Amino acid sequence: MNTSVARTPGSRSPVSDRAAAIEGVLPYRLLNKFFTSSPWAKRKNEPDICDLTFGNPHEMPQDAYVEALQEATFPRDDQWFAYKQNTPEAQEAAASSLERLLGVPFRPEDIHLTTGGFAAIALALKAVADPGDEVIYSLPPWFCYEPIVVEAGLVPVKVTVNLETFDLDLDQIAAAITVRTRAVIVNTPNNPTGRIYPAAVLQGLAAVLEEASARIGRRVYVISDEPYNRIVFDGARFHSPVEFYPHTLLAYSYGKTHLSPGERIGYLALPPTLPERDGLVGALAALQLAMGWIYPNAVLQHALPRLERFSIDVASLQRKRDRMVDALREMGYRVSRPEGTFYLFVGSPDPDDEAFVASLADRGVLVMPGALFETPGFFRISLTANEEMLERSLPVFAAAIDRSPSTAD
């Protein structure tokens, strides 16, 4: 699909076709509307509002996080705040942590530090795909995939997950692969559904991509978007596509692990099993410079070894999850119990999810409509709201479902 905006011959518009294309994609238009004119935009700063929209903190940050940044701010030498690329101490800490999590022997040189997960995904796409290549991802998606894909000059190809299990639909993915396919984005644990894709599903995906790569005569890569891979519940074992498909580039962000999305640090990791690894290393360094020096700032790199020692309180998130899921189910909502992340993806009792979200906002509860995730009929709740907000929201959810079209007499 061509998302570029048609230009009149001789047009003197100062806006490039690429920028106009990004402005034109549906997710960007919906997100921009949400930022500027939604009930959230109008009411988010009201003192008694229950803001359950974005994964932003609604409590003071952990002392350990503040102390890590404070310590990293104190200079040890005259180069402390100089240009930084990949600080060896930060790479070593990240690689060791990733090896412990996945059982894959990542090395420090496999870690390419970035300004958060956004940059890591964009870096991966630009490293393996050329303008006009296709990138497959599943709906409901993180709403920034399409703008990132289009900015890279690539073509988004969308399939849907199984909306009963929230698992990847491997048949749809296989059918969507063409000679122009270059990458498949996989987000696990998934935002917004909270699904951790099982090992069997990821093994099946690997088989699909091996067969397709051989058939079309070019490698199809996986870009595994894993900012929530430390936020899993009930002792679940997280599996990464890296474990099953060596042609995987892993994108990670610390903004979720520490609930600090405004502090931009993450990385793109190349597994040692990646056959093309050596050829990509130089390309990544060139792109990190050309994309605007997308290395994290010096203080965050210095802090990273300490940041790897702790995370937000996952047990507290699990208690919030259980409280909300149990209460919403008792009210009559359709909601799965997420295995990870800090979101609930809830079936809207009104087929018009945007109207239902507006009715909640009228009563002081702000959530995100499923339309924003290109999956109407749902809405998303963020569990990063504080417990007092969540408790105040429950009577509102109860009143809203009682008055919704699907439950009214």
PDB file of all heavy atoms in Angstrom, residues 69 72 80 82-91 113-114 265 293-307:
ATOM      1  N   LEU A  69      20.781   7.274  38.988  1.00  0.00           N
ATOM      2  CA  LEU A  69      21.028   8.436  38.122  1.00  0.00           C
ATOM      3  C   LEU A  69      21.902   9.461  38.832  1.00  0.00           C
ATOM      4  O   LEU A  69      22.790  10.066  38.209  1.00  0.00           O
ATOM      5  CB  LEU A  69      19.703   9.071  37.703  1.00  0.00           C
ATOM      6  CG  LEU A  69      18.764   8.232  36.838  1.00  0.00           C
ATOM      7  CD1 LEU A  69      17.618   9.096  36.317  1.00  0.00           C
ATOM      8  CD2 LEU A  69      19.494   7.589  35.664  1.00  0.00           C
ATOM      9  N   ALA A  72      25.451   8.355  38.723  1.00  0.00           N
ATOM     10  CA  ALA A  72      26.014   8.435  37.378  1.00  0.00           C
ATOM     11  C   ALA A  72      26.281   9.865  36.943  1.00  0.00           C
ATOM     12  O   ALA A  72      27.065  10.105  36.016  1.00  0.00           O
ATOM     13  CB  ALA A  72      25.066   7.763  36.386  1.00  0.00           C
ATOM     14  N   TRP A  80      33.787  12.228  31.195  1.00  0.00           N
ATOM     15  CA  TRP A  80      32.551  11.614  31.702  1.00  0.00           C
ATOM     16  C   TRP A  80      31.325  11.998  30.874  1.00  0.00           C
ATOM     17  O   TRP A  80      30.426  11.191  30.645  1.00  0.00           O
ATOM     18  CB  TRP A  80      32.349  12.022  33.158  1.00  0.00           C
ATOM     19  CG  TRP A  80      31.390  11.152  33.926  1.00  0.00           C
ATOM     20  CD1 TRP A  80      30.139  11.483  34.353  1.00  0.00           C
ATOM     21  CD2 TRP A  80      31.628   9.820  34.378  1.00  0.00           C
ATOM     22  NE1 TRP A  80      29.574  10.435  35.042  1.00  0.00           N
ATOM     23  CE2 TRP A  80      30.480   9.397  35.066  1.00  0.00           C
ATOM     24  CE3 TRP A  80      32.708   8.930  34.265  1.00  0.00           C
ATOM     25  CZ2 TRP A  80      30.364   8.131  35.642  1.00  0.00           C
ATOM     26  CZ3 TRP A  80      32.600   7.678  34.830  1.00  0.00           C
ATOM     27  CH2 TRP A  80      31.439   7.284  35.500  1.00  0.00           C
ATOM     28  N   ALA A  82      31.562  13.288  27.724  1.00  0.00           N
ATOM     29  CA  ALA A  82      31.947  13.381  26.311  1.00  0.00           C
ATOM     30  C   ALA A  82      31.012  12.522  25.454  1.00  0.00           C
ATOM     31  O   ALA A  82      30.159  11.797  25.961  1.00  0.00           O
ATOM     32  CB  ALA A  82      33.391  12.926  26.144  1.00  0.00           C
ATOM     33  N   TYR A  83      31.176  12.628  24.123  1.00  0.00           N
ATOM     34  CA  TYR A  83      30.426  11.752  23.226  1.00  0.00           C
ATOM     35  C   TYR A  83      30.598  10.294  23.661  1.00  0.00           C
ATOM     36  O   TYR A  83      31.708   9.842  23.923  1.00  0.00           O
ATOM     37  CB  TYR A  83      30.943  11.882  21.789  1.00  0.00           C
ATOM     38  CG  TYR A  83      30.486  13.107  21.053  1.00  0.00           C
ATOM     39  CD1 TYR A  83      31.382  14.119  20.735  1.00  0.00           C
ATOM     40  CD2 TYR A  83      29.170  13.233  20.641  1.00  0.00           C
ATOM     41  CE1 TYR A  83      30.986  15.246  20.040  1.00  0.00           C
ATOM     42  CE2 TYR A  83      28.745  14.360  19.933  1.00  0.00           C
ATOM     43  CZ  TYR A  83      29.656  15.361  19.633  1.00  0.00           C
ATOM     44  OH  TYR A  83      29.256  16.472  18.940  1.00  0.00           O
ATOM     45  N   LYS A  84      29.494   9.577  23.709  1.00  0.00           N
ATOM     46  CA  LYS A  84      29.538   8.152  24.049  1.00  0.00           C
ATOM     47  C   LYS A  84      28.859   7.352  22.937  1.00  0.00           C
ATOM     48  O   LYS A  84      27.800   7.732  22.458  1.00  0.00           O
ATOM     49  CB  LYS A  84      28.806   7.878  25.375  1.00  0.00           C
ATOM     50  CG  LYS A  84      29.340   8.654  26.574  1.00  0.00           C
ATOM     51  CD  LYS A  84      30.780   8.271  26.900  1.00  0.00           C
ATOM     52  CE  LYS A  84      31.272   9.072  28.110  1.00  0.00           C
ATOM     53  NZ  LYS A  84      32.714   8.869  28.340  1.00  0.00           N
ATOM     54  N   GLN A  85      29.513   6.253  22.558  1.00  0.00           N
ATOM     55  CA  GLN A  85      28.871   5.321  21.627  1.00  0.00           C
ATOM     56  C   GLN A  85      28.330   4.148  22.448  1.00  0.00           C
ATOM     57  O   GLN A  85      27.270   4.259  23.033  1.00  0.00           O
ATOM     58  CB  GLN A  85      29.881   4.900  20.561  1.00  0.00           C
ATOM     59  CG  GLN A  85      30.243   6.044  19.611  1.00  0.00           C
ATOM     60  CD  GLN A  85      31.305   5.663  18.624  1.00  0.00           C
ATOM     61  OE1 GLN A  85      32.469   5.486  18.991  1.00  0.00           O
ATOM     62  NE2 GLN A  85      30.925   5.535  17.364  1.00  0.00           N
ATOM     63  N   ASN A  86      29.041   3.045  22.485  1.00  0.00           N
ATOM     64  CA  ASN A  86      28.627   1.906  23.306  1.00  0.00           C
ATOM     65  C   ASN A  86      29.621   1.750  24.444  1.00  0.00           C
ATOM     66  O   ASN A  86      30.711   1.205  24.265  1.00  0.00           O
ATOM     67  CB  ASN A  86      28.592   0.635  22.462  1.00  0.00           C
ATOM     68  CG  ASN A  86      27.511   0.678  21.399  1.00  0.00           C
ATOM     69  OD1 ASN A  86      26.333   0.822  21.702  1.00  0.00           O
ATOM     70  ND2 ASN A  86      27.918   0.565  20.146  1.00  0.00           N
ATOM     71  N   THR A  87      29.269   2.260  25.622  1.00  0.00           N
ATOM     72  CA  THR A  87      30.155   2.171  26.774  1.00  0.00           C
ATOM     73  C   THR A  87      30.346   0.701  27.155  1.00  0.00           C
ATOM     74  O   THR A  87      29.366  -0.018  27.371  1.00  0.00           O
ATOM     75  CB  THR A  87      29.551   2.941  27.962  1.00  0.00           C
ATOM     76  OG1 THR A  87      29.277   4.287  27.555  1.00  0.00           O
ATOM     77  CG2 THR A  87      30.501   2.956  29.141  1.00  0.00           C
ATOM     78  N   PRO A  88      31.586   0.209  27.235  1.00  0.00           N
ATOM     79  CA  PRO A  88      31.811  -1.224  27.483  1.00  0.00           C
ATOM     80  C   PRO A  88      31.133  -1.748  28.743  1.00  0.00           C
ATOM     81  O   PRO A  88      30.587  -2.853  28.752  1.00  0.00           O
ATOM     82  CB  PRO A  88      33.336  -1.337  27.567  1.00  0.00           C
ATOM     83  CG  PRO A  88      33.834  -0.202  26.718  1.00  0.00           C
ATOM     84  CD  PRO A  88      32.859   0.909  26.942  1.00  0.00           C
ATOM     85  N   GLU A  89      31.164  -0.959  29.828  1.00  0.00           N
ATOM     86  CA  GLU A  89      30.545  -1.417  31.067  1.00  0.00           C
ATOM     87  C   GLU A  89      29.039  -1.601  30.893  1.00  0.00           C
ATOM     88  O   GLU A  89      28.446  -2.553  31.445  1.00  0.00           O
ATOM     89  CB  GLU A  89      30.819  -0.427  32.197  1.00  0.00           C
ATOM     90  CG  GLU A  89      32.270  -0.313  32.606  1.00  0.00           C
ATOM     91  CD  GLU A  89      33.093   0.578  31.671  1.00  0.00           C
ATOM     92  OE1 GLU A  89      32.507   1.186  30.731  1.00  0.00           O
ATOM     93  OE2 GLU A  89      34.314   0.666  31.873  1.00  0.00           O
ATOM     94  N   ALA A  90      28.415  -0.694  30.134  1.00  0.00           N
ATOM     95  CA  ALA A  90      26.980  -0.815  29.888  1.00  0.00           C
ATOM     96  C   ALA A  90      26.687  -2.027  29.011  1.00  0.00           C
ATOM     97  O   ALA A  90      25.744  -2.783  29.261  1.00  0.00           O
ATOM     98  CB  ALA A  90      26.460   0.463  29.237  1.00  0.00           C
ATOM     99  N   GLN A  91      27.479  -2.220  27.968  1.00  0.00           N
ATOM    100  CA  GLN A  91      27.279  -3.389  27.098  1.00  0.00           C
ATOM    101  C   GLN A  91      27.419  -4.690  27.882  1.00  0.00           C
ATOM    102  O   GLN A  91      26.621  -5.621  27.698  1.00  0.00           O
ATOM    103  CB  GLN A  91      28.309  -3.375  25.962  1.00  0.00           C
ATOM    104  CG  GLN A  91      28.092  -2.324  24.888  1.00  0.00           C
ATOM    105  CD  GLN A  91      29.185  -2.390  23.844  1.00  0.00           C
ATOM    106  OE1 GLN A  91      30.347  -2.120  24.146  1.00  0.00           O
ATOM    107  NE2 GLN A  91      28.828  -2.773  22.628  1.00  0.00           N
ATOM    108  N   LEU A 113      23.680   0.141  21.908  1.00  0.00           N
ATOM    109  CA  LEU A 113      22.853   0.990  22.755  1.00  0.00           C
ATOM    110  C   LEU A 113      22.148   2.076  21.941  1.00  0.00           C
ATOM    111  O   LEU A 113      22.734   2.661  21.016  1.00  0.00           O
ATOM    112  CB  LEU A 113      23.708   1.625  23.845  1.00  0.00           C
ATOM    113  CG  LEU A 113      24.375   0.628  24.801  1.00  0.00           C
ATOM    114  CD1 LEU A 113      25.413   1.331  25.662  1.00  0.00           C
ATOM    115  CD2 LEU A 113      23.333  -0.066  25.666  1.00  0.00           C
ATOM    116  N   THR A 114      20.894   2.334  22.301  1.00  0.00           N
ATOM    117  CA  THR A 114      20.074   3.295  21.560  1.00  0.00           C
ATOM    118  C   THR A 114      19.287   4.180  22.517  1.00  0.00           C
ATOM    119  O   THR A 114      19.155   3.874  23.701  1.00  0.00           O
ATOM    120  CB  THR A 114      19.068   2.570  20.640  1.00  0.00           C
ATOM    121  OG1 THR A 114      18.209   1.745  21.457  1.00  0.00           O
ATOM    122  CG2 THR A 114      19.770   1.713  19.610  1.00  0.00           C
ATOM    123  N   ILE A 265      16.655   5.091  27.076  1.00  0.00           N
ATOM    124  CA  ILE A 265      17.794   4.193  26.907  1.00  0.00           C
ATOM    125  C   ILE A 265      17.275   2.787  26.618  1.00  0.00           C
ATOM    126  O   ILE A 265      16.331   2.308  27.239  1.00  0.00           O
ATOM    127  CB  ILE A 265      18.733   4.193  28.141  1.00  0.00           C
ATOM    128  CG1 ILE A 265      19.959   3.295  27.874  1.00  0.00           C
ATOM    129  CG2 ILE A 265      18.001   3.824  29.412  1.00  0.00           C
ATOM    130  CD1 ILE A 265      21.075   3.464  28.886  1.00  0.00           C
ATOM    131  N   TRP A 293      22.906  10.439  15.881  1.00  0.00           N
ATOM    132  CA  TRP A 293      23.642  10.032  17.088  1.00  0.00           C
ATOM    133  C   TRP A 293      22.645   9.464  18.101  1.00  0.00           C
ATOM    134  O   TRP A 293      22.388  10.025  19.175  1.00  0.00           O
ATOM    135  CB  TRP A 293      24.420  11.200  17.688  1.00  0.00           C
ATOM    136  CG  TRP A 293      25.505  10.749  18.638  1.00  0.00           C
ATOM    137  CD1 TRP A 293      25.416  10.667  19.993  1.00  0.00           C
ATOM    138  CD2 TRP A 293      26.830  10.305  18.303  1.00  0.00           C
ATOM    139  NE1 TRP A 293      26.602  10.194  20.532  1.00  0.00           N
ATOM    140  CE2 TRP A 293      27.489   9.964  19.508  1.00  0.00           C
ATOM    141  CE3 TRP A 293      27.522  10.159  17.098  1.00  0.00           C
ATOM    142  CZ2 TRP A 293      28.803   9.489  19.549  1.00  0.00           C
ATOM    143  CZ3 TRP A 293      28.825   9.683  17.148  1.00  0.00           C
ATOM    144  CH2 TRP A 293      29.456   9.367  18.358  1.00  0.00           C
ATOM    145  N   ILE A 294      22.058   8.321  17.752  1.00  0.00           N
ATOM    146  CA  ILE A 294      20.982   7.754  18.561  1.00  0.00           C
ATOM    147  C   ILE A 294      21.498   6.887  19.700  1.00  0.00           C
ATOM    148  O   ILE A 294      20.790   6.016  20.208  1.00  0.00           O
ATOM    149  CB  ILE A 294      19.973   6.984  17.693  1.00  0.00           C
ATOM    150  CG1 ILE A 294      20.657   5.810  16.963  1.00  0.00           C
ATOM    151  CG2 ILE A 294      19.278   7.911  16.720  1.00  0.00           C
ATOM    152  CD1 ILE A 294      19.667   4.849  16.311  1.00  0.00           C
ATOM    153  N   TYR A 295      22.736   7.108  20.117  1.00  0.00           N
ATOM    154  CA  TYR A 295      23.240   6.490  21.344  1.00  0.00           C
ATOM    155  C   TYR A 295      22.607   7.195  22.551  1.00  0.00           C
ATOM    156  O   TYR A 295      22.348   8.403  22.510  1.00  0.00           O
ATOM    157  CB  TYR A 295      24.760   6.628  21.425  1.00  0.00           C
ATOM    158  CG  TYR A 295      25.512   5.986  20.289  1.00  0.00           C
ATOM    159  CD1 TYR A 295      25.980   6.743  19.214  1.00  0.00           C
ATOM    160  CD2 TYR A 295      25.758   4.610  20.285  1.00  0.00           C
ATOM    161  CE1 TYR A 295      26.684   6.146  18.172  1.00  0.00           C
ATOM    162  CE2 TYR A 295      26.465   4.013  19.245  1.00  0.00           C
ATOM    163  CZ  TYR A 295      26.915   4.778  18.196  1.00  0.00           C
ATOM    164  OH  TYR A 295      27.609   4.197  17.164  1.00  0.00           O
ATOM    165  N   PRO A 296      22.391   6.493  23.654  1.00  0.00           N
ATOM    166  CA  PRO A 296      21.865   7.146  24.853  1.00  0.00           C
ATOM    167  C   PRO A 296      22.866   8.164  25.392  1.00  0.00           C
ATOM    168  O   PRO A 296      24.065   8.074  25.127  1.00  0.00           O
ATOM    169  CB  PRO A 296      21.682   5.990  25.849  1.00  0.00           C
ATOM    170  CG  PRO A 296      21.748   4.745  25.029  1.00  0.00           C
ATOM    171  CD  PRO A 296      22.603   5.051  23.846  1.00  0.00           C
ATOM    172  N   ASN A 297      22.352   9.116  26.157  1.00  0.00           N
ATOM    173  CA  ASN A 297      23.272  10.112  26.706  1.00  0.00           C
ATOM    174  C   ASN A 297      24.210   9.473  27.728  1.00  0.00           C
ATOM    175  O   ASN A 297      23.985   8.362  28.222  1.00  0.00           O
ATOM    176  CB  ASN A 297      22.524  11.316  27.280  1.00  0.00           C
ATOM    177  CG  ASN A 297      21.771  11.015  28.554  1.00  0.00           C
ATOM    178  OD1 ASN A 297      22.295  10.426  29.485  1.00  0.00           O
ATOM    179  ND2 ASN A 297      20.516  11.421  28.607  1.00  0.00           N
ATOM    180  N   ALA A 298      25.277  10.190  28.039  1.00  0.00           N
ATOM    181  CA  ALA A 298      26.365   9.630  28.840  1.00  0.00           C
ATOM    182  C   ALA A 298      25.901   9.192  30.221  1.00  0.00           C
ATOM    183  O   ALA A 298      26.279   8.115  30.715  1.00  0.00           O
ATOM    184  CB  ALA A 298      27.495  10.655  28.962  1.00  0.00           C
ATOM    185  N   VAL A 299      25.075   9.999  30.876  1.00  0.00           N
ATOM    186  CA  VAL A 299      24.658   9.679  32.239  1.00  0.00           C
ATOM    187  C   VAL A 299      23.895   8.360  32.278  1.00  0.00           C
ATOM    188  O   VAL A 299      24.124   7.516  33.156  1.00  0.00           O
ATOM    189  CB  VAL A 299      23.809  10.830  32.827  1.00  0.00           C
ATOM    190  CG1 VAL A 299      23.124  10.392  34.125  1.00  0.00           C
ATOM    191  CG2 VAL A 299      24.683  12.052  33.084  1.00  0.00           C
ATOM    192  N   LEU A 300      22.975   8.149  31.340  1.00  0.00           N
ATOM    193  CA  LEU A 300      22.208   6.908  31.331  1.00  0.00           C
ATOM    194  C   LEU A 300      23.099   5.700  31.044  1.00  0.00           C
ATOM    195  O   LEU A 300      22.895   4.620  31.609  1.00  0.00           O
ATOM    196  CB  LEU A 300      21.076   6.997  30.313  1.00  0.00           C
ATOM    197  CG  LEU A 300      19.906   7.889  30.733  1.00  0.00           C
ATOM    198  CD1 LEU A 300      18.943   8.101  29.574  1.00  0.00           C
ATOM    199  CD2 LEU A 300      19.164   7.289  31.925  1.00  0.00           C
ATOM    200  N   GLN A 301      24.097   5.867  30.174  1.00  0.00           N
ATOM    201  CA  GLN A 301      25.015   4.755  29.933  1.00  0.00           C
ATOM    202  C   GLN A 301      25.822   4.423  31.194  1.00  0.00           C
ATOM    203  O   GLN A 301      26.028   3.253  31.527  1.00  0.00           O
ATOM    204  CB  GLN A 301      25.950   5.074  28.764  1.00  0.00           C
ATOM    205  CG  GLN A 301      25.236   5.154  27.418  1.00  0.00           C
ATOM    206  CD  GLN A 301      26.181   4.897  26.265  1.00  0.00           C
ATOM    207  OE1 GLN A 301      27.007   3.987  26.325  1.00  0.00           O
ATOM    208  NE2 GLN A 301      26.071   5.688  25.202  1.00  0.00           N
ATOM    209  N   HIS A 302      26.278   5.460  31.903  1.00  0.00           N
ATOM    210  CA  HIS A 302      27.012   5.211  33.140  1.00  0.00           C
ATOM    211  C   HIS A 302      26.124   4.530  34.184  1.00  0.00           C
ATOM    212  O   HIS A 302      26.591   3.717  34.986  1.00  0.00           O
ATOM    213  CB  HIS A 302      27.548   6.524  33.721  1.00  0.00           C
ATOM    214  CG  HIS A 302      28.602   7.185  32.884  1.00  0.00           C
ATOM    215  ND1 HIS A 302      29.664   6.488  32.344  1.00  0.00           N
ATOM    216  CD2 HIS A 302      28.768   8.487  32.489  1.00  0.00           C
ATOM    217  CE1 HIS A 302      30.439   7.330  31.662  1.00  0.00           C
ATOM    218  NE2 HIS A 302      29.915   8.546  31.737  1.00  0.00           N
ATOM    219  N   ALA A 303      24.833   4.857  34.176  1.00  0.00           N
ATOM    220  CA  ALA A 303      23.914   4.302  35.180  1.00  0.00           C
ATOM    221  C   ALA A 303      23.479   2.886  34.863  1.00  0.00           C
ATOM    222  O   ALA A 303      23.012   2.172  35.760  1.00  0.00           O
ATOM    223  CB  ALA A 303      22.683   5.200  35.296  1.00  0.00           C
ATOM    224  N   LEU A 304      23.620   2.461  33.616  1.00  0.00           N
ATOM    225  CA  LEU A 304      23.013   1.201  33.185  1.00  0.00           C
ATOM    226  C   LEU A 304      23.432  -0.012  34.023  1.00  0.00           C
ATOM    227  O   LEU A 304      22.576  -0.847  34.363  1.00  0.00           O
ATOM    228  CB  LEU A 304      23.292   0.957  31.702  1.00  0.00           C
ATOM    229  CG  LEU A 304      22.502  -0.184  31.053  1.00  0.00           C
ATOM    230  CD1 LEU A 304      22.171   0.128  29.608  1.00  0.00           C
ATOM    231  CD2 LEU A 304      23.271  -1.501  31.128  1.00  0.00           C
ATOM    232  N   PRO A 305      24.704  -0.189  34.399  1.00  0.00           N
ATOM    233  CA  PRO A 305      25.029  -1.358  35.229  1.00  0.00           C
ATOM    234  C   PRO A 305      24.209  -1.432  36.512  1.00  0.00           C
ATOM    235  O   PRO A 305      23.812  -2.522  36.937  1.00  0.00           O
ATOM    236  CB  PRO A 305      26.525  -1.178  35.504  1.00  0.00           C
ATOM    237  CG  PRO A 305      27.031  -0.442  34.304  1.00  0.00           C
ATOM    238  CD  PRO A 305      25.930   0.536  33.982  1.00  0.00           C
ATOM    239  N   ARG A 306      23.937  -0.279  37.138  1.00  0.00           N
ATOM    240  CA  ARG A 306      23.087  -0.301  38.342  1.00  0.00           C
ATOM    241  C   ARG A 306      21.633  -0.541  37.969  1.00  0.00           C
ATOM    242  O   ARG A 306      20.903  -1.227  38.704  1.00  0.00           O
ATOM    243  CB  ARG A 306      23.220   1.010  39.126  1.00  0.00           C
ATOM    244  CG  ARG A 306      24.448   1.091  39.978  1.00  0.00           C
ATOM    245  CD  ARG A 306      24.399   2.239  40.966  1.00  0.00           C
ATOM    246  NE  ARG A 306      23.342   2.110  41.966  1.00  0.00           N
ATOM    247  CZ  ARG A 306      23.234   2.915  43.029  1.00  0.00           C
ATOM    248  NH1 ARG A 306      24.116   3.885  43.231  1.00  0.00           N
ATOM    249  NH2 ARG A 306      22.243   2.749  43.895  1.00  0.00           N
ATOM    250  N   LEU A 307      21.189   0.013  36.853  1.00  0.00           N
ATOM    251  CA  LEU A 307      19.794  -0.161  36.451  1.00  0.00           C
ATOM    252  C   LEU A 307      19.462  -1.624  36.172  1.00  0.00           C
ATOM    253  O   LEU A 307      18.310  -2.040  36.295  1.00  0.00           O
ATOM    254  CB  LEU A 307      19.493   0.683  35.202  1.00  0.00           C
ATOM    255  CG  LEU A 307      19.633   2.195  35.350  1.00  0.00           C
ATOM    256  CD1 LEU A 307      19.296   2.896  34.038  1.00  0.00           C
ATOM    257  CD2 LEU A 307      18.738   2.718  36.481  1.00  0.00           C
TER     258      LEU A 307
END
